[in-house]
Amino acid sequence: QVQLVESGGGLVQAGGSLGLSCAASGNIFSINDMGWYRQAPGKQRELVAAITRSSSTNYADSVKGRFTISRDNAKNTVYLQMNSLKPEDTAVYYCNAEIRDYRTYRQADYWGQGTQVTVSS
């Protein structure tokens, strides 16, 4: 089985910083794109940032210049550094990865369990 385990998150004042990490483990042959999504109460889940295996990145307009996504392929881990946080960044953050299972050679989307980020004004 494949698992994504997130860490980080918490409560921070507006203007502060937080870092998230997400480590993949299990029957991993390869990991393609990785990313972070978020879902605020009453809203749909939205893409925050994504990164390819070769580290090309893509960001939502709302976080450009404030958030940085990175990955360590040797550790099967993706990171999200969040700076200049705003109350509207408050949400549950989920990591996502496209992982190929070495037993079946099938690729599928996997999700972390979610971690709460709360930004107080």
Side-chain angles (χ1 to χ4, degrees), residues 20-24 31 34 70-79:
L20 305 179
S21 63
C22 173
I31 302 177
M34 305 183 83
S70 60
R71 64 189 284 174
D72 185 333
N73 290 332
K75 295 182 179 179
N76 293 333
T77 299
V78 63
Y79 306 93

Side-chain angles (χ1 to χ4, degrees), residues 7-87:
S7 59
L11 174 64
V12 67
Q13 287 189 331
S17 298
L18 280 176
L20 305 179
S21 63
C22 173
S25 63
N27 303 323
I28 298 170
F29 178 80
S30 63
I31 302 177
N32 195 8
D33 292 353
M34 305 183 83
W36 289 94
Y37 289 72
R38 68 186 180 188
Q39 187 166 19
K43 294 188 177 181
Q44 288 189 328
R45 190 173 296 189
E46 63 175 358
L47 175 68
V48 176
I51 185 167
T52 67
R53 183 167 179 81
S54 58
S55 294
S56 294
T57 58
N58 180 42
Y59 295 92
D61 287 343
S62 59
V63 307
K64 281 180 181 176
R66 300 188 297 122
F67 291 11
T68 302
I69 188 170
S70 60
R71 64 189 284 174
D72 185 333
N73 290 332
K75 295 182 179 179
N76 293 333
T77 299
V78 63
Y79 306 93
L80 185 68
Q81 179 62 38
M82 303 181 290
N83 299 328
S84 302
L85 282 160
K86 304 175 180 179

Side-chain angles (χ1 to χ4, degrees), residues 93-115:
Y93 284 69
Y94 299 89
C95 69
N96 168 267
E98 297 175 352
I99 298 175
R100 190 176 299 279
D101 187 308
Y102 77 74
R103 298 172 305 166
T104 65
Y105 209 61
R106 295 173 67 178
Q107 180 166 290
D109 262 351
Y110 291 87
W111 292 89
Q113 78 279 9
T115 185

